[in-house]
Amino acid sequence: MPDLRRVFLLGTGAFLPGPPVATDEIESVLGDLPDAPATVAAFSRRAGPRIAEESGVRLRHFAVDRATGRLTHDFTDLAREACVAAMDDASIAPEAVDLLVLAAPYVDHATPPGSV
């Protein structure tokens, strides 16, 4: 049995899809998202502008193809890219990884669960 008291953080990774989008371009990029859950679309219409103003964030990244309005990545895709970046950062191969930690606001698949 492995010694669970010996934990090492060897690398971190992140991934942002698509080019950055300025706050005033969000509506033109997102428009109607036919594949987005209704709750996401409603949130975008109601809270999006207020949060954009209050947060001070000027650029965002969206997993949306500007030409078609279709989603380009799901959370699993984003996590995979971030994991690849973390392994590159740590200079290790996937076979050397014992544990991956995922923090996501939503999961694409019920099994295995990903939760903060």
Side-chain angles (χ1 to χ4, degrees), residues 74-101:
D74 59 22
F75 284 110
T76 303
D77 296 328
L78 298 173
R80 181 195 173 284
E81 296 295 336
C83 287
V84 168
M87 289 184 291
D88 286 347
D89 184 50
S91 298
I92 59 173
E95 300 80 29
V97 176
D98 292 323
L99 173 69
L100 291 174
V101 178

Side-chain angles (χ1 to χ4, degrees), residues 14-50:
F15 176 74
L16 297 171
V21 177
T23 298
D24 58 351
E25 293 180 82
I26 291 174
E27 190 171 326
S28 68
V29 172
L30 295 182
D32 287 333
L33 291 175
D35 295 336
T39 54
V40 171
F43 173 81
S44 179
R45 283 191 305 274
R46 281 192 328 271
R50 190 187 85 231

